């Protein structure tokens, strides 16, 4: 399984970005694809997860209502639409995959992409 994250960049507070995670190496039926983020000096934290099979989603409380995770099965791609960005959203965003279910701990994920940097300025 290979995951390739892209779409990060510099954005002003209140702005929007859309991250993409291109998945390859196998069919992903039964998998769960997630986004995590890590800020300097902080542990990697859960952002959102989606079931590849039925589209069920779960969000971390700080991003609920502002971020939307979605997938395009035909393109083998997962997206993270981020709106109303805040300075505290700054960090490296990683996509990850697991077969374990709707999980929120980094250690529960078996496959990781390389990360894409999001910087939100005030």
């Amino acid at each position: 399984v290979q995951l390739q994250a892209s779409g990060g960049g510099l954005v002003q507070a209140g702005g929007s970005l859309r991250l993409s995670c291109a998945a390859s190496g196998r069919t992903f039926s039964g998998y769960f694809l997630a986004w995590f983020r890590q800020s300097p000096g902080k542990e990697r934290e859960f952002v959102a997860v989606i079931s590849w099979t039925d589209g069920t989603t779960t969000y971390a409380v700080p991003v609920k209502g502002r971020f939307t995770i979605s997938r395009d099965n035909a393109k083998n791609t997962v997206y993270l639409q981020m709106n109303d960005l805040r300075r505290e959203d700054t960090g490296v965003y990683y996509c990850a995959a697991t077969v374990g279910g709707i999980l929120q701990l980094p250690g529960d994920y078996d496959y990781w992409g390389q990360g894409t940097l999001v910087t939100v300025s005030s």
Side-chain angles (χ1 to χ4, degrees):
V1 174
Q2 291 83 44
L3 302 173
Q4 181 76 33
S6 63
L10 174 64
V11 63
Q12 287 190 327
S16 298
L17 277 177
R18 188 177 79 158
L19 305 183
S20 300
C21 176
S24 61
R26 61 160 298 129
T27 58
F28 288 92
S29 178
Y31 274 72
F32 298 81
L33 279 292
W35 288 96
F36 287 80
R37 66 187 181 188
Q38 189 165 19
S39 304
K42 295 186 178 180
E43 295 186 351
R44 193 167 298 188
E45 64 174 356
F46 168 78
V47 175
V49 61
I50 187 167
S51 164
W52 195 268
T53 302
D54 64 11
T56 301
T57 59
T58 296
Y59 296 89
V61 170
V63 307
K64 203 167 187 179
R66 300 188 296 123
F67 291 12
T68 302
I69 189 171
S70 62
R71 89 267 194 234
D72 184 330
N73 291 35
K75 294 183 179 180
N76 265 17
T77 300
V78 174
Y79 302 99
L80 185 69
Q81 177 66 43
M82 306 186 293
N83 298 328
D84 188 23
L85 282 160
R86 304 168 183 171
R87 287 192 65 185
E88 54 264 37
D89 295 319
T90 293
V92 177
Y93 282 69
Y94 299 89
C95 56
T98 183
V99 294
I102 299 288
L103 303 172
Q104 300 188 19
L105 296 177
D108 293 324
Y109 286 76
D110 302 304
Y111 306 99
W112 290 86
Q114 84 291 1
T116 185
L117 177 63
V118 173
T119 304
V120 183
S121 64
S122 59

